[in-house]
């Protein structure tokens, strides 16, 4: 069945079935925001001559679980605040559309946090207990993004918090648990991913701009308006690629990291779709392309670091 795209019409969104219900509830397109930083941070550590598979694997799973739990908190609180309906576009709204009980969603989110906490204990025991505070803060931000009396998602700081805690901090933690230190180089390498993870959040807010405005959210997209928000998104994309170019010119990054240029097809698609789309369902592919930009950019960046280490 094709969705009705007439102005003012409710989009037809089919319910998920079977395993797809549970998989979609994790919002899989956002999980790369957790996967890419861990891989990149580990690649940077490997470049410094340090690698511990157990710590890498524990960090990877913990990050994915925290991201999935954050998405479930989002699902739960959007339902509780009446923001979702069976017509919700995208992969949110599984409670009202797919019949999952709100209590079950919250329990799954807390279970993900519980497992992540156990993995965190292993990581701290094999690196530094100072990471305990950092990990707990990251988990608190994941909950407070949509939970609590003043959710971060209702403010203009969603992009900043998501990029900082699920982009830059994850890279630096992944690097630290392998090397025992943080270097200026690891910080410089983390900045484009910080920007691109923020871009995922911004793209989501551009798609949901009208609904967010009606529900009193003051996101960057709401404050700027769609046209300026899309320009900002384009600027974030351009900045990320120019930053890598700057790292190459300054000899901080190997020439092989220029491979990121192969991912430019995705941000170009995102901007084109956002400029053309009017309804949320029309702009959903742009949000997906933004997430894919982070994925492909991050993986190509990582490959470039690995290749540059050997050649």
């Amino acid at each position: 069945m094709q969705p009705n795209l007439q102005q003012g019409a409710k989009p037809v969104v089919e319910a998920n079935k079977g395993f797809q219900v549970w998989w979609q509830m994790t919002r899989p397109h956002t999980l790369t925001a957790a996967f890419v930083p861990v891989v990149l941070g580990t690649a940077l550590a490997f470049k410094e001559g340090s690698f511990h598979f157990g710590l890498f694997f524990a960090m990877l799973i913990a990050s994915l679980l925290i991201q999935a739990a954050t998405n479930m908190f989002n699902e739960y609180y959007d339902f509780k605040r009446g923001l979702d309906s069976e017509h919700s576009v995208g992969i949110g709204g599984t409670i009202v559309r797919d019949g999952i009980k709100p209590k079950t969603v919250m329990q799954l989110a807390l279970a993900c946090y519980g497992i992540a906490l156990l993995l965190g204990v292993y990581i701290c025991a094999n690196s530094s207990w100072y990471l305990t505070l950092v990990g707990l803060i990251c988990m608190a931000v994941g909950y407070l993004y949509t939970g609590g009396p003043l959710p971060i998602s209702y403010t203009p700081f969603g992009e900043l918090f998501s990029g900082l805690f699920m982009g830059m901090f994850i890279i630096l933690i992944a690097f630290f648990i392998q090397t025992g230190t943080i270097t200026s180089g690891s910080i410089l390498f983390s900045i484009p991913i910080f920007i691109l993870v923020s871009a995922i959040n911004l793209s989501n807010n551009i798609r949901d701009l009208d609904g967010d405005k009606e529900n009193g959210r003051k996101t960057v997209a709401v404050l700027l308006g769609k046209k300026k928000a899309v320009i900002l998104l384009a600027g974030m994309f351009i900045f990320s690629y120019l930053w890598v170019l700057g790292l190459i010119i300054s000899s901080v990054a190997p020439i092989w990291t220029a491979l990121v240029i192969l991912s430019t097809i995705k941000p170009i698609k995102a901007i084109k779709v956002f400029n053309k789309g009017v309804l949320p369902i029309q702009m959903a592919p742009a949000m997906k392309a933004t997430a894919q930009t982070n994925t492909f950019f991050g993986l190509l960046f990582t490959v470039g670091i690995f290749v540059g280490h050997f050649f």
Side-chain angles (χ1 to χ4, degrees):
M1 182 180 295
Q2 295 296 319
N4 189 335
L5 299 182
Q6 295 180 356
Q7 186 71 35
K10 294 288 187 182
V12 177
V13 184
E14 295 184 358
N16 296 305
K17 298 178 181 180
F19 174 76
Q20 186 182 24
V21 173
W22 307 101
W23 174 239
Q24 290 293 89
M25 192 164 57
T26 68
R27 305 188 180 183
H29 76 278
T30 68
L31 296 182
T32 61
F35 172 84
V36 168
V38 175
V39 173
L40 179 56
T42 304
L44 291 171
F46 183 81
K47 179 174 173 287
E48 298 294 324
S50 300
F51 177 71
H52 185 289
F53 179 79
L55 288 172
F56 161 70
F57 187 73
M59 181 72 186
L60 178 62
I61 299 302
S63 297
L64 290 171
L65 288 170
I66 292 173
Q67 180 64 56
T70 299
N71 293 335
M72 292 178 200
F73 289 137
N74 193 340
E75 183 79 32
Y76 178 85
Y77 283 106
D78 279 358
F79 169 77
K80 285 295 184 179
R81 295 187 174 100
L83 303 182
D84 284 337
S85 73
E86 65 274 18
H87 300 294
S88 293
V89 174
I91 50 183
T94 193
I95 292 175
V96 293
R97 186 169 58 242
D98 303 325
I100 303 298
K101 294 180 179 179
K103 181 179 179 180
T104 301
V105 174
M106 177 57 76
Q107 288 174 337
L108 284 172
L110 293 176
C112 287
Y113 260 25
I115 298 172
L117 192 61
L118 292 175
L119 290 169
V121 171
Y122 167 78
I123 291 171
C124 291
N126 288 275
S127 55
S128 171
W129 289 103
Y130 288 113
L131 287 177
T132 304
L133 179 60
V134 178
L136 290 175
I137 291 174
C138 289
M139 293 174 75
V141 169
Y143 174 79
L144 293 173
Y145 184 77
T146 48
L150 182 60
I152 297 169
S153 63
Y154 276 65
T155 73
F157 304 111
E159 287 79 7
L160 174 64
F161 275 81
S162 60
L164 192 61
F165 287 93
M166 291 308 297
M168 176 178 281
F169 277 18
I170 299 300
I171 292 173
L172 297 181
I173 293 172
F175 181 81
F176 178 83
I177 63 176
Q178 300 284 351
T179 64
T181 188
I182 296 294
T183 64
S184 59
S186 63
I187 295 174
L188 291 173
F189 275 93
S190 71
I191 288 176
I193 301 301
F194 161 60
I195 298 298
L196 291 178
V197 172
S198 298
I200 296 175
N201 192 292
L202 178 59
S203 70
N204 179 74
N205 290 335
I206 293 173
R207 185 199 66 182
D208 296 339
L209 191 154
D210 292 335
D212 286 345
K213 185 184 296 185
E214 291 176 6
N215 289 288
R217 290 186 173 183
K218 302 296 183 182
T219 65
V220 169
V222 169
L223 295 177
L224 292 180
K226 183 191 171 186
K227 183 176 180 180
K228 291 182 179 179
V230 173
I231 292 174
L232 174 60
L233 181 65
M236 293 168 75
F237 286 142
I238 293 170
F239 177 88
S240 297
Y241 289 95
L242 289 180
W243 186 268
V244 175
L245 178 61
L247 292 180
I248 294 172
I249 292 174
S250 59
S251 300
V252 174
I255 186 66
W256 294 99
T257 53
L259 285 169
V260 297
I261 199 71
L262 297 176
S263 65
T264 52
I265 186 173
K266 292 301 179 180
I268 291 172
K269 176 183 178 181
I271 298 304
K272 284 183 177 179
V273 173
F274 271 131
N275 282 329
K276 185 178 180 181
V278 177
L279 301 177
I281 199 167
Q282 295 171 324
M283 293 184 282
M287 182 183 169
K288 181 178 180 181
T290 303
Q292 290 174 331
T293 300
N294 176 63
T295 304
F296 297 142
F297 180 104
L299 293 179
L300 289 168
F301 200 27
T302 301
V303 169
I305 292 169
F306 268 120
V307 175
H309 176 68
F310 292 105
F311 296 96

